[in-house]
Amino acid sequence: MKHLIAFLFLGLSAIAAQAQTYPDYTEIYVNDLAGLLPEQDEDRIRDKLKELRVARGIEFTVVTINRMSDYGHQGGIEPFATGLFNYWAVGNAERNDGVMLLVARYDRKLRIEVGSGYGVSKNAPMQRIIDEEIVPSFKRDDYVTGIEDGVDAVIFDLTGSFPGEYDANLAQKALSRGRRFLDWIGGWIFVILAPLLGFPVQAYRRWQRNKPRICPNDGSRMERLDEGWDDKHLQKGQITEEELKSVDYDVWQCPKCDHVTIEAYKAWFSRYSACRSCGYKTVEGDTEILQAATTASTGTKRIDYHCLNCDDRWSVTRIIPRKSSSSSSSGSFGGGSSSGGGASGSW
């Protein structure tokens, strides 16, 4: 019996190992398989990676996927990133100085994998970049800013120059640093002023929600029920919307005639959309690239929708515009490898 169990275990392990796959790349700079980057942002990031390769000979690739489980992987992102890095052979074969920024969107994990030529010297710097430059933006679902800021920071750590500054003299670099500092200050000023500018709107909305309600039946002053009691007057879909924070509901009740008024307040920012069947804002979408666009042909992507209220599921297919010839990035990687160096993060 022990031998049979061992045989079955080895057989299952072999099947699991065979199930592990990796995506193939369509270019060596940006493979946005999760569809996180609009075309113009992808082109801008690609240009920075091209420039790095031409100016310093370093191969740096950005990869986004939906889930690691789509490729048969269960577990942490570290072994998957190392395996993908080596499967693609990122970086120069002699120097092993390649870099990969991998984002697993729905796993909410990311990793900066570096070539074995760096040893462990880049682990701490890559961790700082993830924690300070990438994750804060990802937590706001701002993937473009997070990826681009991460790319800029990695390039600076590797070369001592930001994109576009490789051949700049000290005065030009100082001027560029000044512009970046002003942009950074401007961003913080926006962060500080945005709540102040939004305060009048928030105050009006708060007043609107809290002002007394008069019963249309007997003219009595109505009472707003607390969260524990108002759910008794809400439908299942409305309760789901509150749980997802896509819509918040206030329930007002007349103490004399028990007349009830329900008022809805949609969230300013929500990733959930309205369901085609039940109408509630309880639908989430999952995008999968079916065929990547090239300079010769358009691509296709499928968006799978799922309503968390009525469980309706449907899919739509969209055309991905053909890439312009200026964004073409044909070629192959240089045969590099990684021994697992780098850093990881989650959001």
Side-chain angles (χ1 to χ4, degrees), residues 36-170:
L36 296 180
L37 300 171
E39 184 177 2
Q40 62 182 10
D41 299 304
E42 180 179 330
D43 288 343
R44 187 173 61 253
I45 293 171
R46 179 183 294 106
D47 288 342
K48 295 181 179 184
L49 301 178
K50 282 183 178 181
E51 182 191 31
L52 174 66
R53 192 183 192 201
V54 171
R56 293 292 184 269
I58 299 174
E59 292 181 357
F60 183 179
T61 186
V62 172
V63 190
T64 74
I65 60 174
N66 283 319
R67 299 177 182 86
M68 291 180 285
S69 60
D70 293 341
Y71 305 98
H73 179 79
Q74 303 293 334
I77 194 172
E78 291 82 7
F80 184 85
T82 303
L84 179 61
F85 189 106
N86 292 331
Y87 178 68
W88 286 4
V90 180
N92 179 274
E94 296 180 358
R95 300 190 302 270
N96 286 314
D97 57 354
V99 181
M100 172 183 287
L101 170 55
L102 172 65
V103 178
R105 180 182 188 178
Y106 294 113
D107 294 323
R108 303 188 74 82
K109 295 179 180 179
L110 73 142
R111 179 165 179 81
I112 300 176
E113 185 83 11
V114 300
S116 58
Y118 296 106
V120 298
S121 65
K122 294 302 178 184
N123 291 8
M126 297 304 110
Q127 191 66 63
R128 181 195 63 77
I129 290 171
I130 288 174
D131 295 341
E132 298 179 7
E133 304 292 342
I134 303 178
V135 167
S137 295
F138 278 19
K139 287 182 176 179
R140 302 191 302 269
D141 289 333
D142 186 356
Y143 296 105
V144 172
T145 300
I147 291 173
E148 186 163 17
D149 286 353
V151 166
D152 289 351
V154 170
I155 289 175
F156 181 78
D157 181 81
L158 297 178
T159 68
S161 300
F162 285 107
E165 297 181 358
Y166 300 111
D167 298 323
N169 56 39
L170 291 178

Side-chain angles (χ1 to χ4, degrees), residues 161-165 168-183:
S161 300
F162 285 107
E165 297 181 358
N169 56 39
L170 291 178
Q172 290 171 328
K173 288 187 176 183
L175 183 60
S176 178
R177 301 294 191 281
R179 285 197 298 265
R180 287 179 177 273
F181 178 74
L182 291 176
D183 290 341

